[in-house]
């Protein structure tokens, strides 16, 4: 299609800047002078994908090599997808505008389960056969995937040639180098994939056979040929010396998080029993303050950002946080750059830290008590008390803050109606604390926003064995919570219950869900994470037509000795440890964090000083 016609079509859709490319700091190379072309696909819209740190890192790292050209691909919004289908425009990469079927690799990052239909839709829009068995030779790209959802790759097993488990900076390039070697030696695609399976952190689902018992649970997972029986994740041990970009692409349209992001550490010392990230990213590895400061300043200087976010799972657990903030404030104040600290813990939030944050720009503070009562916070191992929550909010109010956002979950294991009422009661105590502050701004009301997510049990957590709240029970829980709120100064928001069910099904699903995804794709389902696109009825039809009972995957309790779909995947947190933590949860017994005591989770197997027990 000629450029003029394409421009005319772009003018008919919302936000055409999503689809043009050409942004500042995007990388354009001569495709005839590179050995490998990699289409990095984010299975959601441009605004979501362009906010993702992992994509920024790998895009820049790949393109730092002369032999690789990595380009970006995002899921089109419904209006542009219609234009594409009506005018036979295949999905294309933003840098070259070439269709993704022209690439050597098509790679997806799997950030959340509701993106799975987008993966299939993007392959379809690119003219690439959906199933691995229909892509046997080099006439089609190698389809790969990574990200947090890859820890249970089975619901996508029929569609992905290679999964990258764990962190990708090293393993991705090792597979690309193997690809170059295999092409030079004129080996077949299947030979390349079998060789790739020998690289640590690479999982090839086609090399494993799964059998089932009469009750639907897994009987066995057998490795075929010389594929490893278990596949272990990869981690980066030295964050100071691993690649980190000194510039991000500057988007044409507003994105969700349009700011510099500086990663300060990976992993988490906490053991919140619901939190998948806290387990699959173990062990903790910290970046030095000097390196983090240098990288953050480079990003702001090269991209013109007026905000930098310090990224981790629990930023206030970063041991050099005050030193880093001190270094950053020497240039951020002069450059009018604000510093954002997401993922703050209530129990280690010093007043000095609050003062350093607000020295640049004051906004609302966000904390995550997760549960409304101490009993339930002990069950989930949150390890914070009500006194700590109230005292932290008091400190914020005394410093001039008037808005607090609190994150909670409903449907947690052992939850009672009293626990839901506890959410409203805790929020009310925060409101009362504000009005008891004699230094508050007179005439300025307080705002306490409660965000409530439905709990979804995830693999590699102590709650992977637990049933999810039944679909019919969730609205009743939400209604009970709303009825417990007594003031308009507290607002409550929550998500659709059926999307949480769908997330739960695919989070702990097995290979039999591949058929459901195919049926969903036939029904036109995609962009399931967006309320305006989600179609509850069509999903029910897809499950029904495939003979799949969602309750089997979502609301069924797993026995400790059951073979789980991901048991042949090794994220270095042992099943024995998770079972023990699950038992402690039901006894209401908490576990100390990694800095206080080693709990022998298994992450010490990496050695070399990256785990707190220093083995």
């Amino acid at each position: 299609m000629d450029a003029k016609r394409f421009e005319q079509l772009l003018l008919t859709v919302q936000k055409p800047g999503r689809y043009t490319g050409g942004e500042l700091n995007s990388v354009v190379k001569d495709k005839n002078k590179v050995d490998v072309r990699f289409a990095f696909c984010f299975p959601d819209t441009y605004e979501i994908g362009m906010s993702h740190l992992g994509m920024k890192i790998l895009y820049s790292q790949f393109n730092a090599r002369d032999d690789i050209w990595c380009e970006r691909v995002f899921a089109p919004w419904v209006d542009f997808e219609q234009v594409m289908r009506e005018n036979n425009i295949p999905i294309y990469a933003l840098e070259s505008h070439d269709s993704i079927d022209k690439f050597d690799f098509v790679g997806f990052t799997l950030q959340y389960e509701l993106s799975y239909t987008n993966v299939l839709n993007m392959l379809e829009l690119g003219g690439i056969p959906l199933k691995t068995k229909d892509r046997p030779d080099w006439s089609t790209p190698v389809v790969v995937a990574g990200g947090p959802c890859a820890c249970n790759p089975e619901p996508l097993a029929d569609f992905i040639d290679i999964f990258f488990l764990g962190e990708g900076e090293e393993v991705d390039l090792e597979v690309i180098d193997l690809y170059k070697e295999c092409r030079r030696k004129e080996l077949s695609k299947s030979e390349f994939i079998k060789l790739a399976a020998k690289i640590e952190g690479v999982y090839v689902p086609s090399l494993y056979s799964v059998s089932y018992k009469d009750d639907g649970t897994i009987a066995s997972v057998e490795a075929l040929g010389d594929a490893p029986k278990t596949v272990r994740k990869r981690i980066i041990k030295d964050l100071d010396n691993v690649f980190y970009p000194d510039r991000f692409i500057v988007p044409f349209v507003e994105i969700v998080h349009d700011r510099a992001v500086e990663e300060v550490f990976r992993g988490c010392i906490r053991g919140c029993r619901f939190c998948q990230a806290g387990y699959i990213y173990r062990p903790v590895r910290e970046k030095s303050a000097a390196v983090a400061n240098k990288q953050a300043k480079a990003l702001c200087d090269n991209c013109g950002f007026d905000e930098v976010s310090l990224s981790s799972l629990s930023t206030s657990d970063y041991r050099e946080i005050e030193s880093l903030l001190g270094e950053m404030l020497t240039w951020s104040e002069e450059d009018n750059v604000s510093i954002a600290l997401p993922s703050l813990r209530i129990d280690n939030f010093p007043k000095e830290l609050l003062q350093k944050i607000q020295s640049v720009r004051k906004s609302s503070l966000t904390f995550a008590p997760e549960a409304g009562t101490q009993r339930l916070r002990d069950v989930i191992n949150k390890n914070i008390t009500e006194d700590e929550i109230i005292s932290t909010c008091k400190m914020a109010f005394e410093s001039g803050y008037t808005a607090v956002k609190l994150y909670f979950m409903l449907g947690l294991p052992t939850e009672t109606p009293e626990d839901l009422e506890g959410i409203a009661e805790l929020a009310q105590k925060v409101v009362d604390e504000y009005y008891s502050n004699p230094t508050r701004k007179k005439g300025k009301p307080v705002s306490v926003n409660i965000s409530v997510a439905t709990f979804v049990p995830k693999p590699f957590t102590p709650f992977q064995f637990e049933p999810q709240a039944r679909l019919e029970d969730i609205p009743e829980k939400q209604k009970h919570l709303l009825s417990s709120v007594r003031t308009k100064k507290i607002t409550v928001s929550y998500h659709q219950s059926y999307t949480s069910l769908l997330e739960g099904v695919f989070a702990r699903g097995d290979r039999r869900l591949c058929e459901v995804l195919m049926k969903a794709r036939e029904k036109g389902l995609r962009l399931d994470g967006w309320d305006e696109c989600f179609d509850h009825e069509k999903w029910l039809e897809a499950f029904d037509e495939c003979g799949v009972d969602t309750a089997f995957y979502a609301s069924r309790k797993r026995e400790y000795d059951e073979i789980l779909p991901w048991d042949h995947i090794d994220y270095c947190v042992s099943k024995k440890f998770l079972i023990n933590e699950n038992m402690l949860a039901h006894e209401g017994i908490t576990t100390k964090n990694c800095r206080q005591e080693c709990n022998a989770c298994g992450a010490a197997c990496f050695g070399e000083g990256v785990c707190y027990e220093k083995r």
Side-chain angles (χ1 to χ4, degrees):
M1 178 177 294
D2 65 84
K4 186 175 182 180
R5 174 60 178 158
F6 183 70
E7 289 177 6
Q8 291 174 339
L9 291 173
L10 281 182
L11 293 176
T12 66
V13 304
Q14 299 176 37
K15 301 181 182 180
R18 292 165 163 166
Y19 312 110
T20 60
E23 308 99 319
L24 178 67
N25 296 331
S26 60
V27 178
V28 176
K29 297 184 179 183
D30 183 342
K31 61 186 175 185
N32 297 312
K33 294 182 180 179
V34 297
D35 299 321
V36 178
R37 298 187 67 189
F38 194 107
F40 197 124
C41 300
F42 194 96
D44 211 318
T45 62
Y46 179 94
E47 296 94 315
I48 305 294
M50 282 292 290
S51 302
H52 180 236
L53 179 59
M55 186 177 213
K56 299 174 193 288
I57 292 173
L58 294 176
Y59 176 88
S60 297
Q61 183 187 30
F62 289 1
N63 284 320
R65 282 183 38 168
D66 293 335
D67 58 336
I68 303 172
W69 186 13
C70 180
E71 303 182 49
R72 297 162 297 139
V73 187
F74 301 98
W77 189 244
V78 290
D79 55 354
F80 190 58
E81 181 183 341
Q82 182 178 347
V83 168
M84 293 169 68
R85 291 185 181 277
E86 290 175 351
N87 293 274
N88 296 316
I89 301 172
I91 195 168
Y92 56 84
L94 292 184
E95 283 73 9
S96 66
H97 282 210
D98 286 344
S99 172
I100 62 172
D101 65 336
K102 303 295 192 293
F103 285 72
D104 300 295
F105 286 87
V106 172
F108 291 93
T109 178
L110 306 174
Q111 296 298 310
Y112 36 86
E113 292 83 0
L114 295 181
S115 70
Y116 288 177
T117 51
N118 297 344
V119 172
L120 272 59
N121 193 41
M122 292 173 77
L123 289 173
E124 182 182 287
L125 287 170
I128 298 173
L130 299 186
K131 292 194 173 184
T132 296
K133 66 181 181 63
D134 298 323
R135 304 188 299 262
D137 55 40
W138 294 122
S139 64
T140 54
V142 180
V143 179
V144 301
C149 290
C151 71
N152 178 22
E154 297 306 282
L156 288 171
D158 287 355
F159 313 111
I160 305 298
D161 299 325
I162 290 172
F163 284 95
F164 297 123
L165 307 182
E167 296 159 4
E169 288 98 331
E170 293 175 347
V171 65
D172 292 14
L173 292 179
E174 290 172 16
V175 170
I176 289 174
D177 287 337
L178 175 65
Y179 169 85
K180 288 176 59 178
E181 181 183 352
C182 289
R183 294 307 302 263
R184 180 176 56 81
K185 292 181 178 178
E186 298 185 346
L187 299 182
S188 68
K189 190 176 186 180
S190 63
E191 289 174 308
F192 157 69
I193 288 175
K194 288 177 182 177
L195 288 171
K198 298 179 180 181
I199 298 175
E200 185 176 72
V202 171
Y203 173 58
V204 177
S206 62
L207 299 181
Y208 296 80
S209 174
V210 182
S211 60
Y212 302 91
K213 299 178 181 178
D214 291 340
D215 65 0
T217 60
I218 293 174
S220 67
V221 178
E222 302 291 338
L224 306 177
D226 57 356
K229 291 184 178 180
T230 60
V231 184
R232 177 176 165 179
K233 73 170 182 178
R234 290 287 290 270
I235 70 163
I236 301 298
K237 295 179 180 178
D238 183 359
L239 293 189
D240 275 353
N241 291 304
V242 72
F243 178 90
Y244 200 80
D246 63 1
R247 65 198 65 221
F248 293 164
I249 296 173
V250 181
F252 285 148
V253 300
E254 184 178 357
I255 62 176
V256 175
H257 298 302
D258 194 4
R259 60 194 181 194
V261 181
E262 175 56 30
E263 185 181 35
V264 294
F265 72 85
R266 295 182 186 177
C268 186
I269 66 169
R270 310 290 171 170
C272 300
R273 291 168 178 143
F274 58 85
C275 180
Q276 185 182 60
Y279 292 95
I280 67 173
Y281 291 123
R282 289 188 178 198
V284 169
R285 292 137 290 147
E286 293 189 332
K287 189 181 291 185
S288 68
V291 170
N293 177 61
K294 181 180 178 181
Q295 292 175 348
K297 189 174 191 310
L299 284 171
C300 292
D301 288 347
N302 292 331
C303 305
F305 290 115
D306 62 1
E307 181 179 8
V308 57
S309 173
L310 301 183
S311 173
S312 75
L313 291 176
S314 180
T315 305
S316 48
D317 282 329
Y318 177 52
R319 290 183 294 185
E320 296 187 55
I321 183 65
E322 294 195 39
S323 173
L324 174 58
L325 286 173
E327 292 184 41
M328 292 179 68
L329 287 170
T330 62
W331 55 267
S332 62
E333 290 180 313
E334 182 178 341
D335 296 345
N336 290 318
V337 173
S338 64
I339 300 171
L341 298 178
S343 305
L344 296 173
R345 287 278 303 190
I346 288 174
D347 57 340
N348 63 350
F349 190 78
K351 191 169 186 178
E352 296 78 15
L353 188 59
L354 187 68
Q355 292 169 343
K356 286 183 177 180
I357 301 171
Q358 68 178 25
S359 66
V360 178
R361 186 168 69 192
K362 187 177 297 183
S363 58
S364 65
L365 287 176
T366 300
F367 299 107
E370 307 294 1
T373 62
Q374 193 60 49
R375 183 200 69 81
L376 193 53
R377 283 193 292 273
D378 289 345
V379 168
I380 66 176
N381 205 46
K382 187 63 183 179
N383 278 328
I384 56 172
T385 65
E386 183 175 292
D387 287 345
E388 288 170 331
I389 297 168
I390 299 301
S391 64
T392 301
C393 292
K394 177 183 179 181
M395 182 172 62
F397 295 148
E398 289 174 346
S399 299
Y401 288 83
T402 60
V404 173
K405 187 168 188 176
L406 302 174
Y407 283 111
F408 294 92
M409 286 184 287
L410 61 76
L412 286 163
T414 79
E415 180 187 81
T416 66
E418 289 73 27
D419 294 312
L420 296 174
E421 294 160 15
I423 294 174
E425 291 168 3
L426 180 58
Q428 184 62 54
K429 290 178 181 178
V430 173
V431 171
D432 295 342
E433 182 58 46
Y434 175 81
Y435 285 106
S436 68
N437 173 25
T439 64
R440 75 180 188 277
K441 294 180 180 179
K442 297 300 184 279
K444 184 75 173 177
V446 69
S447 172
V448 178
N449 298 302
I450 298 174
S451 179
V452 185
T454 300
F455 166 68
V456 177
K458 293 293 181 83
F460 297 103
T461 69
F463 288 159
Q464 67 179 9
F465 309 100
E466 296 294 328
Q468 186 174 349
R470 295 184 305 169
L471 183 62
E472 58 269 28
D473 293 338
I474 296 173
E476 291 302 315
K477 292 175 180 289
Q478 293 167 343
K479 185 187 299 184
H480 189 72
L481 170 59
L482 287 172
S483 68
S484 302
V485 174
R486 306 300 183 190
T487 172
K488 292 183 178 179
K489 294 176 175 61
I490 300 172
T491 58
V492 180
S493 61
Y494 47 81
H495 302 293
Q496 287 190 65
S497 54
Y498 195 80
T499 56
S500 298
L501 172 66
L502 193 65
E503 181 184 348
V505 168
F506 283 101
R508 294 189 292 173
D510 55 40
R511 295 188 175 196
R512 290 169 292 189
L513 293 179
C514 292
E515 182 184 358
V516 177
L517 282 172
M518 284 291 290
K519 185 64 67 173
R521 182 66 230 102
E522 292 171 11
K523 294 179 178 295
L525 293 170
R526 75 276 189 263
L527 296 171
D528 296 301
W530 297 82
D531 290 347
E532 52 267 63
C533 298
F534 186 78
D535 193 322
H536 180 191
E537 293 302 321
K538 285 186 178 179
W539 270 109
L540 289 177
E541 292 172 7
F543 283 113
D544 184 59
E545 290 171 20
C546 294
V548 171
D549 180 8
T550 58
F552 177 82
Y553 295 102
S555 55
R556 177 178 64 86
K557 182 175 177 59
R558 273 69 167 170
E559 300 301 327
Y560 292 148
D561 60 353
E562 180 179 334
I563 298 175
L564 303 174
W566 52 91
D567 274 354
H568 59 299
I569 304 295
D570 183 7
Y571 269 71
C572 300
V573 177
S574 72
K575 192 172 183 179
K576 178 181 178 181
F577 167 78
L578 297 176
I579 290 171
N580 186 60
E581 281 293 297
N582 183 272
M583 295 170 68
L584 291 175
H586 283 277
E587 295 175 35
I589 299 174
T590 60
T591 299
K592 293 180 179 179
N593 72 56
C594 297
R595 285 187 183 144
Q596 295 173 318
E597 180 178 286
C598 173
N599 298 294
C601 71
C605 64
F606 286 107
E608 299 184 30
V610 295
C611 203
Y612 273 105
E613 61 269 39
K614 303 290 185 183
R615 293 181 185 170

